[in-house]
């Protein structure tokens, strides 16, 4: 079992309707593909960035990540963490998602507001913990 977390720069047009539609499309395909391949995880985004965690069998996580990183809807994909793990953090989520109005999203906005075009400037542990903490809260709610 492996877990991968990355950050990337959001390249989707900032028009809220277009952004919302693209996110919906990403979530729909993600849930189909990830369920099929035994991958679970969580996704968070704002107008600037994406943060995502993928977990599952190593081959499936790698193949999913390879596909995602070629997607022109984001760029500057930076891996924050890729390691062997004993168990899943997001077992119930083929692709959990934090909506734009949540407290976690506002915290994500604060953390990402000054990164400009360079996601590597973000503090990876903060982002990873934020995603983990809020998805676990949602899972147990
Ligand atoms: P196809 O649907 O055949 O598309 C071919 C190419 O076009 C791919 O490179 C694809 O990335 C790109 N593409 C597809 N739709 C669009 C579009 N509307 N605009 C621009 N380019 C497009 N997929 C998963 O399976 N699991 C995930 O967890 C997952 N997470 C994602 C997270 C983010 C932040 C992003 C941006 C994408 C994510 N995707 C995820 C989608 C993934 O990148 C692929 O689009 C999807 O898996 C379909 O892959 P495919 O090879 O069948 O591509």
């Amino acid at each position: 079992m492996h877990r991968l977390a990355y950050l990337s720069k959001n390249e989707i047009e900032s028009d809220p309707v277009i952004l919302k539609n693209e996110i919906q499309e990403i979530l729909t395909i993600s849930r189909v593909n990830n369920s099929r391949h035994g991958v679970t995880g969580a996704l968070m985004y704002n107008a600037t960035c994406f943060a995502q965690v993928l977990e599952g069998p190593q081959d499936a996580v790698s193949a999913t990540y390879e596909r995602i990183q070629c997607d022109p809807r984001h760029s500057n994909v930076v891996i924050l963490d890729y390691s062997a793990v004993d168990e899943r953090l997001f077992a119930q989520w083929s692709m959990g998602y934090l909506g734009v109005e949540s407290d976690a999203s506002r915290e994500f906005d604060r953390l990402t507001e000054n990164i400009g075009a360079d996601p590597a400037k973000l503090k990876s542990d903060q982002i990873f913990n934020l995603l983990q903490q809020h998805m676990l809260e949602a899972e147990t709610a």
Side-chain angles (χ1 to χ4, degrees):
M1 182 77 60
H2 273 64
R3 183 178 305 128
L4 183 153
Y6 74 80
L7 288 163
S8 61
K9 181 174 181 297
N10 186 346
E11 298 289 359
I12 300 171
E13 245 185 87
S14 58
D15 178 278
V17 176
I18 294 174
L19 186 56
K20 193 174 165 208
N21 288 343
E22 289 284 357
I23 297 296
Q24 197 50 55
E25 198 175 294
I26 288 169
L27 289 173
T28 301
I29 189 79
S30 298
R31 287 169 178 156
V32 171
N33 287 342
N34 296 357
S35 297
R36 188 181 297 149
H37 298 115
V39 172
T40 53
L43 175 71
M44 184 159 58
Y45 80 96
N46 61 21
T48 314
C49 291
F50 287 101
Q52 187 174 28
V53 177
L54 301 166
E55 57 189 13
Q58 184 172 14
D59 288 356
V61 168
S62 292
T64 302
Y65 174 73
E66 288 305 322
R67 213 168 53 244
I68 294 170
Q69 70 157 346
C70 297
D71 196 311
R73 289 172 285 191
H74 62 169
S75 64
N76 293 35
V77 185
V78 176
I79 292 180
L80 308 178
D81 183 47
Y82 184 37
S83 44
V85 292
D86 291 333
E87 57 186 25
R88 295 175 193 260
L89 289 172
F90 304 100
Q92 307 304 316
W93 304 84
S94 56
M95 189 40 60
Y97 157 65
L98 293 176
V100 285
E101 297 303 328
S102 67
D103 287 347
S105 299
R106 284 185 276 277
E107 211 170 323
F108 188 52
D109 287 346
R110 277 198 297 280
L111 290 172
T112 57
E113 65 189 350
N114 294 319
I115 64 156
D118 186 3
K121 285 182 187 163
L122 285 169
K123 293 189 174 63
S124 60
D125 53 341
Q126 278 180 301
I127 298 292
F128 186 76
N129 291 340
L130 181 68
L131 198 49
Q132 182 182 344
Q133 175 195 332
H134 286 270
M135 290 310 295
L136 284 174
E137 280 171 11
E139 193 177 38
T140 52

